[in-house]
Amino acid sequence: MARKIKVLYVSAECSPYSGAGGLGEVAGALPGAIAEQDIDIRRIVPLHRETTQKLRFRSNFPVKMGDRYQTCLVKYDFEEKEVPTYFVGNDYYFNRDGIYKQYDDGERFLFFCKAVVGFLEDTSFKPDIIHINDWHAGMIPMLLKSSGLNFKTVNTIHNLIYNGWIGAEYLQDENLPMEYLTRIDYPNLLNFMKAGIIYSDVITTVSSTFAGEMQDEGKGFGMEELLREKGGVIGILNGVDAEKYNPVSDSEIYANYSHKNAAAKKENKKSLQREFGLDESDVPIISAVTRLEDQKGIDILIESIETFRGECQFVILGSGRKVYEDKLLSLCSKHPGRIAVRIGYSLEAAKKIYAGSDIYVMPSLYEPGGMGQLIAMRYGTVPVVRGTGGLRDTVEDFEVNRKKGTGFLFERYSHLDLNGALEKAVGLYNTPEWSQIVGNCMKHDVSWKKAGKKYADLYREIV
Ligand code: GLC
């Protein structure tokens, strides 16, 4: 039998240990699906303050940061058997509230990158492939090259808009050839995302459509050219954790149901209306569980809430830009009973919304993958999405005559087009066609299995 391929999977966040968004969900679930494909995959992530699991000490070593040293303390989770997970600990950098948006993120994640390289030098686990994710791990392939460590590297891009920067003085002791640094913007701030793109062997992203879009002029956040030079990007669609989001057994929703008794979904709807102060009537509830950021199309969503005349209710859960939060809260207080808004996030509230609403809206400006639409489908909540990135690849426009499709797509980034798609959805609510779409959604395969197989095939090809 062939030897098992070994992979070290590197992420800045990882559910259930830590999480701020989609990346954490992916890092929490995908490696398990890859392991099932007979790959020896292990994870390495920062030890954030929010990680409360019991961990064991493994090793420690110094990491040079500018003109001083910082200690890296490596711990591991001895309970987790499926995907062993290592944690890079350093109180100064990671024992903080929150994972990102700190003034010194560049320094924090350069420490992380250097620590991962130090770990590789220090351990008997010798992977064939280092699989990095997003800018936080972007310096690793370049540092590996300068350390003479010949690992193959795969870089999955989840979000191109965040780049990460650091002053060159932090890299001056790495004996990097000058041309390495000039390519990543020396003498100005060095760019992690660029480094990750230039020095990785293979670039992937989380949908085929986004893999194409990110190389198109004006859509790759300045990285188009570099990505094209790499000879292309591989798109592999994300899944979602089918057990965590399972209406049949989910103990956090109001009432369980399956595609065979989707009518029981109405129980959830009534309870959701009661809990969120909405009128108790059987009009479709349109929901969104989302970061309130420009990427997610919140400006056109707000315009739609203001102008859409169809009979419906809205429920929104999320946080982000203050202007969006304020605007949504003011709409909620103007139209109580029709619009409910909760600023913040909790998994329980999110699941109650997925289960209790009828239509899930995702009008993203751009969307590499997208998870909300997949989770919504799982709960029989019909997605209305803009045809961009992963949304285009996962939601099939409903065709009345062919009984095919799992939702409604619109193309132009405008609230008018969003309203048009909402109108179609609301118009079919409570008809036999509606039960058909809901059924199609709930039967749609959103598991990680396919993705696990594709990454495993990719690893095999590279090695
Ligand atoms: C980022 C992207 C999102 C994707 C997620 C996981 O958050 O914005 O589209 O689903 O990463 O890959």
Side-chain angles (χ1 to χ4, degrees):
M1 220 181 87
R3 181 181 69 83
K4 263 197 182 192
I5 290 178
K6 297 194 197 108
V7 178
L8 185 66
Y9 189 88
V10 190
S11 175
E13 48 178 293
C14 177
S15 162
Y17 306 106
S18 58
L23 174 59
E25 294 260 333
V26 174
L30 171 63
I34 295 175
E36 279 169 21
Q37 301 293 325
D38 208 30
I39 303 278
D40 178 359
I41 185 166
R42 307 186 187 184
R43 277 183 292 234
I44 189 159
V45 300
L47 179 53
H48 296 291
R49 178 179 286 173
E50 66 188 66
T51 306
T52 51
Q53 283 80 357
K54 261 203 181 147
L55 305 175
R56 233 176 233 171
F57 171 80
R58 187 176 175 285
S59 60
N60 63 3
F61 50 84
V63 173
K64 188 147 199 305
M65 292 297 291
D67 52 10
R68 57 192 151 59
Y69 282 90
Q70 286 280 353
T71 299
C72 168
L73 183 72
V74 180
K75 294 189 174 184
Y76 69 100
D77 181 354
F78 56 96
E79 307 259 307
E80 163 73 64
K81 302 273 175 325
E82 193 188 31
V83 182
T85 305
Y86 302 105
F87 297 84
V88 166
N90 174 285
D91 275 353
Y92 172 65
Y93 289 125
F94 297 124
N95 189 3
R96 303 188 187 182
D97 287 333
I99 298 181
Y100 310 119
K101 295 198 179 151
Q102 321 255 332
Y103 72 96
D104 56 348
D105 276 359
E107 189 182 326
R108 296 170 67 226
F109 287 104
L110 180 66
F111 170 78
F112 177 57
C113 291
K114 287 190 172 186
V116 171
V117 175
F119 169 82
L120 285 165
E121 284 168 334
D122 181 61
T123 166
S124 59
F125 176 64
K126 294 293 175 223
D128 301 287
I129 293 172
I130 316 298
H131 187 157
I132 65 165
N133 291 275
D134 275 354
W135 75 262
H136 326 100
M139 293 292 183
I140 293 173
M142 187 179 79
L143 292 171
L144 288 175
K145 284 198 198 322
S146 72
S147 314
L149 295 169
N150 274 328
F151 298 105
K152 295 277 182 204
T153 47
V154 173
N155 177 4
T156 299
I157 297 175
H158 301 258
N159 210 328
L160 257 183
I161 204 170
Y162 305 113
N163 278 193
W165 293 275
I166 184 91
E169 64 277 15
Y170 286 95
L171 280 162
Q172 71 202 3
D173 299 314
E174 305 299 327
N175 298 320
L176 288 162
M178 192 42 111
E179 82 249 27
Y180 276 38
L181 298 182
T182 46
R183 293 198 71 194
I184 59 169
D185 294 353
Y186 184 87
N188 299 315
L189 291 175
L190 306 181
N191 185 323
F192 283 72
M193 179 60 88
K194 265 194 180 172
I197 293 174
I198 295 173
Y199 298 104
S200 298
D201 293 311
V202 176
I203 311 284
T204 79
T205 188
V206 292
S207 71
S208 304
T209 298
F210 191 68
E213 285 172 349
M214 70 205 288
Q215 299 176 66
D216 289 347
E217 228 30 71
K219 289 193 180 166
F221 305 94
M223 300 293 162
E224 300 84 331
E225 181 91 41
L226 279 182
L227 290 166
R228 288 197 297 261
E229 271 171 28
K230 291 300 285 190
V233 179
I234 299 170
I236 300 179
L237 268 184
N238 281 340
V240 289
D241 189 328
E243 268 325 295
K244 178 170 170 186
Y245 302 107
N246 186 356
V248 176
S249 53
D250 191 337
S251 60
E252 285 176 301
I253 61 176
Y254 307 100
N256 293 118
Y257 58 98
S258 74
H259 71 275
K260 292 193 189 110
N261 68 337
K265 200 171 151 53
K266 292 244 156 106
E267 294 279 307
N268 287 283
K269 177 171 186 168
K270 280 190 205 146
S271 306
L272 182 72
Q273 285 171 322
R274 238 167 275 146
E275 186 173 332
F276 280 74
L278 293 164
D279 297 336
E280 287 181 42
S281 64
D282 191 14
V283 297
I285 302 184
I286 301 170
S287 66
V289 176
T290 177
R291 286 185 284 125
L292 302 174
E293 303 292 345
D294 296 345
Q295 177 196 343
K296 299 293 176 182
I298 307 305
D299 51 347
I300 64 170
L301 176 61
I302 289 174
E303 283 179 287
S304 268
I305 298 177
E306 285 172 325
T307 58
F308 184 60
R309 292 286 159 254
E311 259 206 286
C312 67
Q313 297 173 347
F314 288 95
V315 47
I316 313 289
L317 171 71
S319 63
R321 277 188 65 182
K322 185 89 174 41
V323 274
Y324 293 145
E325 293 183 355
D326 291 347
K327 188 81 212 182
L328 284 165
L329 285 172
S330 101
L331 280 170
C332 169
S333 58
K334 261 191 235 155
H335 307 278
R338 180 165 190 265
I339 301 172
V341 172
R342 201 178 273 182
I343 301 301
Y345 176 82
S346 85
L347 182 62
E348 188 185 334
K351 285 170 151 193
K352 285 177 168 170
I353 292 173
Y354 284 118
S357 56
D358 302 291
I359 296 168
Y360 185 83
V361 66
M362 218 161 152
S364 306
L365 180 59
Y366 68 94
E367 196 63 73
M371 309 222 124
Q373 83 280 16
L374 298 176
I375 302 172
M377 282 191 243
R378 196 86 186 110
Y379 287 88
T381 300
V382 177
V384 169
V385 304
R386 196 167 91 82
T388 181
L391 298 175
R392 175 180 293 294
D393 296 353
T394 51
V395 179
E396 192 188 353
D397 207 21
F398 183 69
E399 293 176 44
V400 179
N401 301 330
R402 295 174 58 211
K403 299 189 170 173
K404 270 182 59 172
T406 49
F408 299 89
L409 281 102
F410 67 99
E411 299 299 327
R412 204 164 51 109
Y413 188 74
S414 145
H415 74 281
L416 297 174
D417 295 51
L418 169 55
N419 284 354
L422 287 176
E423 210 169 292
K424 278 195 212 159
V426 168
L428 286 177
Y429 182 66
N430 266 347
T431 63
E433 282 82 14
W434 191 256
S435 317
Q436 177 81 46
I437 313 176
V438 171
N440 292 352
C441 284
M442 294 188 78
K443 282 183 245 159
H444 185 77
D445 179 13
V446 298
S447 74
W448 276 105
K449 202 174 160 94
K450 272 188 244 162
K453 179 152 190 330
K454 285 193 176 159
Y455 283 104
D457 289 346
L458 175 67
Y459 297 156
R460 292 201 175 92
E461 221 172 279
I462 298 171
V463 174

